[in-house]
Amino acid sequence: FRSVHWTFLKEWQGRLPEAVTWAAPGLRQRGAVKRSGVRLDRDLQDGPLPGWPEELDRITVRGGGGFCEVALFHRPGRALILVDLVQNFEPGKLPLPLRPFARAAGIVAPDGKAPAYLRAIVKMGGGKAREAGRRLVETDPERVIFAHGRWFDRDGAAALARRRPDMNSLVMLGA
């Protein structure tokens, strides 16, 4: 059972050994990552990065407990790429016993959002997390793509705004 996204990297790197692997801040320091043998070529730090595509903006969202997600915004395509900050599972694709839990957590399509535990973790990031959330919405994406469930293929900014109704009191998407 693999529960975190980086656990798939080693297999992927075996198939595409020439690809460069960029790591979110703090990932390479985790014990499990060190023990895994996964190759992390470069770190996604704030500021200019040699070799990083100019058309791809980075927005780092930090929370408590070492949580850090780097969102990407592809300006020409107006696509915002997230990992965990929005979860929008299609009920029919979930195992039957998990469906009631996903509905209760509010993470089912078409109205998915971040689950409560993740909102709490990000909230621990304080003002910097609020600023990152504001920047995510300000990208004004047409599409929002994420790792968990059906992505928003149009009107991405409006979809995010529906999940973040009060910009002053919420720290992130889906509150």
Side-chain angles (χ1 to χ4, degrees), residues 22 47-58 72-76:
W22 294 83
L49 295 174
W52 188 257
E54 288 182 23
E55 68 275 4
L56 199 56
D57 294 336
R58 302 176 317 279
L72 305 175
F73 181 65
H74 183 257
R75 285 188 313 274

Side-chain angles (χ1 to χ4, degrees), residues 109-122:
D111 301 313
K113 60 185 177 186
Y117 77 88
L118 185 55
R119 293 194 308 270
I121 288 170
V122 173

